[in-house]
Amino acid sequence: MKSLITRTISGIAFAIIMVTGLLVNKFTFAALMLLIMVGCLMEFYSMTMRKRFKTSRAMAIISAVILFLLAFGIGAFGWSGRILGLAFIPVILVMSASLYTKDRDSFGEFANLYTGLLYIAFPLTITNFVVFQNNQFQGIIMLAFFIIVWASDVGAYCFGMALGQKYGKKLFPEISPKKSWIGAIGGFITAMGVALLMGHIGWINAPWYHCLALGAIMDVFGVYGDLFESQWKRHYAIKDSGNILPGHGGFLDRFDSALFAIPMGVIYLSCFKIFVF
């Protein structure tokens, strides 16, 4: 009971922070995304590199922040897209710093710095091109994206707990023993239903069939995002990526699905010119 209360309170606090950050204005959106980005990167680097190479890790995080802020400036203030190239400067410095490591046996760990940038910084930077259309902020679209991802997780959990643990096969037992095919199907149906609702109430300005496709795509890739993070945790023998949210784990535990689902959702909608970058 105590654990349930803790999870409920932290979950409500999490929801309030997310909704406030995404809806108030463009600056609260930027602050929220940067918090998530830095939190995820710190957890990822702590998991994969422990306490090693702190300076290089800090430089990689600074590079991610610069990339996000440059994309934010393009979306919010109409800056030229050419300035995105500036974000590569600190990345070059990170690469150069690897030349000075004394322990050559650990050189391969530097690859985790670049993996973190691709895995975390790039997907979260893309959110700028969702919420800004003609330099106008529309945070409700990003909230709709997150709701679809959360609905997928909730649907998978409910169906999995009700039926998946007793019936049917496991999805990826060697990576995540509790996930079942029944849970995955439940999440798939829930995500499409919620995506259809998001279109119906006007939070996503797209025809119903695009909303259904969006829900399906975000669900499938969200599952892969969840499993991808689980694979990292299993490799490094840890249960949670962090403990920022009591009862829910860390930043990566909360946003692993979104890191895969949101970019794929953006790509789908942009292909049909529903979003024009």
Side-chain angles (χ1 to χ4, degrees):
M1 179 61 68
K2 183 178 179 181
S3 175
L4 178 61
I5 293 174
T6 300
R7 285 176 60 88
T8 301
I9 293 174
S10 61
I12 292 173
F14 169 76
I16 292 173
I17 292 172
M18 289 295 297
V19 172
T20 301
L22 291 171
L23 296 186
V24 172
N25 57 46
K26 58 188 175 185
F27 298 109
T28 59
F29 157 76
L32 176 65
M33 290 297 107
L34 285 173
L35 174 64
I36 295 170
M37 177 185 288
V38 172
C40 287
L41 284 171
M42 289 179 66
E43 289 180 356
F44 181 77
Y45 291 149
S46 177
M47 174 174 59
T48 59
M49 305 176 76
R50 306 301 180 183
K51 296 182 179 180
R52 301 165 64 84
F53 310 118
K54 291 184 178 180
T55 301
S56 296
R57 286 157 54 181
M59 291 169 61
I61 292 173
I62 291 172
S63 175
V65 171
I66 291 174
L67 176 63
F68 181 89
L69 290 176
L70 291 175
F72 177 76
I74 294 171
F77 305 110
W79 295 355
S80 171
R82 296 177 181 178
I83 64 172
L84 279 177
L86 296 174
F88 193 63
I89 294 176
V91 177
I92 293 177
L93 295 178
V94 173
M95 294 177 179
S96 300
S98 67
L99 299 173
Y100 296 95
T101 179
K102 295 181 180 179
D103 185 2
R104 306 313 300 178
D105 292 336
S106 63
F107 175 75
E109 291 186 24
F110 273 82
N112 292 319
L113 296 174
Y114 319 130
T115 300
L117 293 176
L118 180 63
Y119 171 38
I120 297 167
F122 181 71
L124 292 176
T125 296
I126 285 178
T127 60
N128 284 290
F129 302 107
V130 177
V131 300
F132 293 110
Q133 297 292 308
N134 298 319
N135 305 132
Q136 297 298 313
F137 178 68
Q138 298 177 343
I140 196 72
I141 301 175
M142 186 51 57
L143 179 59
F145 271 39
F146 276 114
I147 288 176
I148 293 171
V149 174
W150 297 334
S152 171
D153 289 342
V154 171
Y157 177 80
C158 292
F159 276 82
M161 291 299 293
L163 300 172
Q165 302 304 312
K166 295 182 180 180
Y167 311 103
K169 296 182 178 180
K170 299 299 182 181
L171 189 62
F172 270 91
E174 68 279 9
I175 295 177
S176 186
K178 292 184 179 180
K179 286 184 172 57
S180 64
W181 275 103
I182 291 178
I185 294 171
F188 185 79
I189 295 172
T190 306
M192 287 196 298
V194 171
L196 192 62
L197 176 63
M198 294 295 101
H200 179 71
I201 64 178
W203 287 17
I204 296 177
N205 186 21
W208 66 269
Y209 48 88
H210 280 311
C211 290
L212 283 178
L214 177 67
I217 290 171
M218 292 186 67
D219 171 80
V220 170
F221 283 95
V223 170
Y224 277 110
D226 190 334
L227 291 170
F228 183 71
E229 195 235 358
S230 294
Q231 185 171 241
W232 282 97
K233 291 191 296 185
R234 180 166 290 272
H235 178 76
Y236 288 100
I238 63 172
K239 182 178 183 295
D240 296 320
S241 64
N243 56 7
I244 189 66
L245 287 172
H248 292 273
F251 282 99
L252 267 178
D253 296 318
R254 291 301 90 207
F255 295 100
D256 51 2
S257 298
L259 292 174
F260 275 34
I262 290 178
M264 295 308 300
V266 172
I267 291 171
Y268 174 80
L269 293 181
S270 63
C271 286
F272 290 95
K273 298 183 179 180
I274 296 171
F275 289 151
V276 180
F277 304 146

